[in-house]
Amino acid sequence: MSTTPLCGNREAMTITRMGPILYNAAAQGNIMVFKNHKFKRPLEALLTPNKNTILHIFITTLKTGIESTEKNFVGDILNMCPSLLCQVNVKDETPLHIAARYGHANIIRVLIQQVRYGHNQDLGSGAEAIREMLRMVTKEKDTALHEAVRYNHFEVIKLLIKEDPDFSYSINDVGETPLYIAVERDFENLVLEILNTCNSPAYDGPLGRTALHAAAFRDNTVTIEAILEKIGGAITKNVDQEGWTPLHLAAYSGGWLSTKLLLEHDSEVAYIKDKKGRTALHIAAHRGNNQVMKSIIDMCPDCCELLDNRGWNALHFAVEGDRPDSTESTVELILENSSLSNLLNEKDAEGNTPLHHYSLSSGPYLKDLIDHPRVDKMAFNKNNLNAYQVALSAKLSTGKMMEIGLKFWSYSGRVLTEDEDKLKKIIQDDVKDMENKRKASRIVYMEKAAETHLVVAALITTVTFAAAITMPGGFVGTGDNPHDYEGSVVLTRNAAFKMFIITDVISLVLSCSAVVTHLLTSLLFKYSKSDETRNIFLRLAYVFILMAMGAMVLAFITGAYAVLAHSLDLAITTCVIGSCFFVIISLICGLYRKDLGLLYIVDKLKYIYS
């Protein structure tokens, strides 16, 4: 033991340590050092800073596969000090946990034998004592079996389960059972060993999932069959925190073999919705997993009638698919199935049909959808807009706009006699009208913004001018000091006051610049061919105003400090409170950037569950 004194009145902190001779002897398994050495402390008191004993050190440094030649070290040490058998380090790890983690099966046999014959008085002896040791957990609630499964040590797992087949092995701190760990890592042989030898294995996982969720995501049919046989078919209906069944995960990952197997065991899971009202078919349609869709439709065709919380059906999800390379084939799969014709014109909660959704998206051209004879091209949503009008409001490419427009006018019954060139001219005129409306809307917005900016800039100019004229601290009359001539400022040699004057002038100049920019904008915009020039000057004035506000706050802080310097606590408090302005601005900018990032992520990962 060594103690490290700390400064002041703080108590000394005790740090355990092991000398280099003993540490190296433990790492090398040199039992003679411990037999011949005269210790001032018992073996159980020889600890590293993390409370690792000589057994922890030996097992950690021992290479896998050679422990059979060194196992006598463990036995000899335990004969010398039996309490080391279950002594834990700072993570509550016993030598058994370490041996299981590194796959030292022979050492585990030695540890078990030590308990079997009662060498440890705390545990006792016999099978019950062995089970007590095997069930000890770390601070993260991991048993030795958790450790062995995590690192895929098959022999260790067989040994541990054989000694305690009745224990179900509950979840650790992150919600994992040994079975779930094995399934999630796709250790098929470990999964089968646990299921075949454990009498009642726990199958829970994190986020409310089960081992069957992990198996479905991995699309491992062998594992799925083994779990269903051991645990029972009711597990197929277990949902996680988002309401996803194993079938949802199979649909997400594209595991069509898993999908077929799960439906064969229990077809009712095809009708289970998650918290957003989505079925496995919806997930598969959005992901473009056509084989999964086909399996679900073949076995449960009427589940296509189910809608999510927004009123979307499978075709809505297919049109809005997040995989452009497979979206078209997914839509084709639905359109080719005549029994799904009711999906073609079904409206969601906003009154939008799948064709409306297609018109809003920038995805691939879905010729089969827009050409289908049963699709109502003139259907209106709740905003009284048809698909073509929705497309006009969306910023789509010219090519897609032409494709939608030609199809719309061709089927509308209004211009059937016109040739394609005339149709294109009509579409171009419609697009131009829409752009003019957008331009007019932008101009109105900029005019209103300019009025607000001008008022704020004028207010800042007034405040900073008044502050400079009144002068913090006031003026002096005549005096002996040559600098104190009549009318001079009292605080003229104060550093904080000088900073006040500088920042106040900066604020005044910036606010005046913003006012001038607004006054000149109308003149400059008059000779511009677009509103881009006006937009640039509007943004420039906005930047001037923000900088002027920042300088004005700094002027207030420095002026207040100069006046209140005699009362330091009040001056510091005023400065801290005033500085909160910049903290608030930073938070707003950070939230804005974060919001943009979240919007981007949501846009990319929309309807995807993880």
Side-chain angles (χ1 to χ4, degrees):
M1 292 281 186
S2 68
T3 57
T4 304
L6 301 179
C7 298
N9 296 325
R10 294 167 60 189
E11 295 181 358
M13 180 177 62
T14 301
I15 300 177
T16 56
R17 65 183 182 87
M18 190 182 300
I21 297 176
L22 297 178
Y23 187 94
N24 291 331
Q28 297 167 8
N30 189 346
I31 191 63
M32 298 309 299
V33 171
F34 297 97
K35 287 184 175 180
N36 298 332
H37 192 77
K38 294 182 179 179
F39 297 105
K40 296 180 180 179
R41 291 173 286 156
L43 289 179
E44 63 267 23
L46 298 176
L47 303 172
T48 67
N50 285 336
K51 310 300 184 195
N52 286 307
T53 66
I54 54 180
L55 271 188
H56 288 94
I57 296 170
F58 172 72
I59 298 171
T60 301
T61 56
L62 184 62
K63 294 182 180 179
T64 304
I66 65 170
E67 69 270 15
S68 58
T69 61
E70 304 288 347
K71 64 181 181 181
N72 289 335
F73 177 83
V74 176
D76 291 342
I77 286 293
L78 290 176
N79 289 333
M80 295 170 62
C81 184
S83 62
L84 292 178
L85 180 64
C86 292
Q87 189 166 334
V88 298
N89 58 18
V90 292
K91 297 180 181 179
D92 284 350
E93 296 170 336
T94 65
L96 179 65
H97 288 104
I98 306 297
R101 178 182 304 158
Y102 294 107
H104 299 314
N106 286 331
I107 289 180
I108 292 176
R109 291 188 180 95
V110 174
L111 298 176
I112 292 174
Q113 290 300 317
Q114 289 285 324
V115 177
R116 192 184 306 279
Y117 298 115
H119 291 181
N120 186 285
Q121 296 179 356
D122 295 332
L123 287 177
S125 61
E128 188 62 33
I130 293 173
R131 285 193 291 270
E132 184 179 346
M133 180 180 68
L134 297 182
R135 297 178 185 185
M136 294 181 70
V137 296
T138 66
K139 285 187 176 180
E140 295 181 351
K141 300 296 185 293
D142 281 326
T143 63
L145 188 61
H146 282 87
E147 296 284 1
V149 171
R150 185 174 290 116
Y151 295 99
N152 195 16
H153 298 308
F154 185 71
E155 290 299 322
V156 173
I157 291 168
K158 288 175 60 179
L159 181 59
L160 295 174
I161 296 177
K162 179 182 177 182
E163 294 293 338
D164 193 8
D166 295 324
F167 190 46
S168 60
Y169 291 98
S170 58
I171 60 174
N172 58 16
D173 274 353
V174 295
E176 298 171 325
T177 57
L179 179 60
Y180 184 89
I181 294 173
V183 175
E184 188 178 48
R185 286 163 171 74
D186 208 20
F187 298 152
E188 186 178 301
N189 59 332
L190 303 190
V191 174
L192 298 179
E193 180 66 22
I194 294 173
L195 291 173
N196 292 333
T197 55
C198 277
N199 294 331
S200 57
Y203 50 83
D204 299 312
L207 304 176
R209 295 177 180 174
T210 66
L212 190 60
H213 283 87
F217 185 78
R218 284 286 188 177
D219 196 26
N220 191 322
T221 55
V222 175
T223 301
I224 292 175
E225 287 182 339
I227 293 173
L228 291 174
E229 182 180 351
K230 180 71 174 183
I231 299 172
I235 192 177
T236 58
K237 290 188 174 70
N238 285 30
V239 297
D240 62 13
Q241 292 179 1
E242 296 299 320
W244 278 37
T245 65
L247 185 63
H248 281 89
L249 280 174
Y252 175 82
S253 63
W256 67 276
L257 291 174
S258 299
T259 300
K260 189 174 180 180
L261 185 57
L262 291 169
L263 290 175
E264 286 175 351
H265 274 78
D266 187 358
S267 60
E268 290 184 11
V269 293
Y271 302 87
I272 296 178
K273 296 182 178 182
D274 66 6
K275 290 185 177 180
K276 297 182 180 179
R278 299 172 297 182
T279 64
L281 180 63
H282 294 151
I283 302 298
H286 188 257
R287 293 282 292 170
N289 294 326
N290 299 332
Q291 287 289 344
V292 174
M293 286 184 62
K294 192 173 185 308
S295 297
I296 297 175
I297 293 172
D298 288 345
M299 302 182 72
C300 306
D302 58 340
C303 75
C304 299
E305 298 178 1
L306 296 174
L307 309 176
D308 77 342
N309 296 344
R310 299 163 298 178
W312 287 25
N313 61 39
L315 187 55
H316 286 99
F317 279 96
V319 171
E320 292 279 357
D322 62 356
R323 292 186 180 180
D325 56 335
S326 61
T327 297
E328 188 169 354
S329 60
T330 304
V331 172
E332 288 175 359
L333 177 64
I334 297 176
L335 297 179
E336 289 171 358
N337 195 323
S338 58
S339 65
L340 305 180
S341 298
N342 61 315
L343 304 181
L344 300 179
N345 300 309
E346 194 169 304
K347 297 182 179 181
D348 62 14
E350 300 297 325
N352 292 315
T353 66
L355 187 60
H356 282 90
H357 282 263
Y358 164 66
S359 299
L360 278 169
S361 70
S362 57
Y365 173 46
L366 304 177
K367 184 176 183 296
D368 287 342
L369 176 63
I370 204 168
D371 281 343
H372 199 283
R374 294 189 179 182
V375 172
D376 182 6
K377 282 81 178 176
M378 296 295 294
F380 288 90
N381 62 16
K382 290 186 177 180
N383 293 324
N384 204 32
L385 299 175
N386 57 39
Y388 178 61
Q389 292 167 329
V390 167
L392 285 174
S393 65
K395 296 181 179 180
L396 303 178
S397 64
T398 304
K400 185 168 184 179
M401 197 62 245
M402 283 295 177
E403 291 167 354
I404 296 174
L406 286 173
K407 294 296 179 182
F408 173 81
W409 285 110
S410 297
Y411 288 107
S412 66
R414 297 172 60 185
V415 218
L416 291 176
T417 59
E418 301 290 346
D419 58 29
E420 188 171 317
D421 291 336
K422 291 183 178 181
L423 291 177
K424 288 182 179 180
K425 181 65 169 61
I426 294 173
I427 297 168
Q428 290 170 350
D429 291 341
D430 287 342
V431 174
K432 186 176 181 180
D433 289 341
M434 183 59 70
E435 286 298 326
N436 289 335
K437 291 179 181 178
R438 289 174 181 164
K439 182 178 179 181
S441 177
R442 285 196 297 268
I443 291 174
V444 172
Y445 166 77
M446 286 189 290
E447 288 176 349
K448 291 182 178 180
E451 292 174 1
T452 304
H453 292 179
L454 192 58
V455 172
V456 174
L459 180 62
I460 295 174
T461 302
T462 304
V463 170
T464 52
F465 180 80
I469 293 300
T470 56
M471 289 294 173
F475 303 91
V476 299
T478 58
D480 296 334
N481 194 311
H483 294 286
D484 291 339
Y485 56 86
E486 187 176 0
S488 65
V489 180
V490 172
L491 302 174
T492 186
R493 290 182 296 280
N494 186 286
F497 176 78
K498 293 177 182 179
M499 183 60 68
F500 159 76
I501 291 294
I502 295 172
T503 53
D504 191 73
V505 172
I506 292 174
S507 180
L508 178 68
V509 171
L510 289 172
S511 59
C512 288
S513 300
V515 172
V516 172
T517 302
H518 280 297
L519 292 176
L520 295 178
T521 297
S522 57
L523 178 63
L524 294 171
F525 181 67
K526 181 178 179 181
Y527 300 102
S528 177
K529 295 182 180 179
S530 67
D531 62 345
E532 186 62 28
T533 301
R534 186 171 186 175
N535 192 26
I536 292 174
F537 276 84
L538 181 64
R539 293 180 180 179
L540 181 62
Y542 179 69
V543 172
F544 285 157
I545 292 173
L546 282 180
M547 295 172 65
M549 292 180 69
M552 182 176 66
V553 172
L554 284 176
F556 169 79
I557 293 173
T558 53
Y561 186 85
V563 173
L564 301 173
H566 62 282
S567 179
L568 191 59
D569 55 344
L570 183 59
I572 293 176
T573 303
T574 303
C575 293
V576 171
I577 295 175
S579 301
C580 290
F581 168 80
F582 300 101
V583 176
I584 293 171
I585 292 296
S586 300
L587 288 175
I588 293 173
C589 293
L591 289 173
Y592 176 72
R593 291 172 63 91
K594 183 180 180 181
D595 187 49
L596 288 181
L598 288 175
L599 287 175
Y600 175 80
I601 294 171
V602 169
D603 182 59
K604 294 298 181 185
L605 303 180
K606 199 175 180 183
Y607 318 119
I608 295 178
Y609 173 73
S610 60

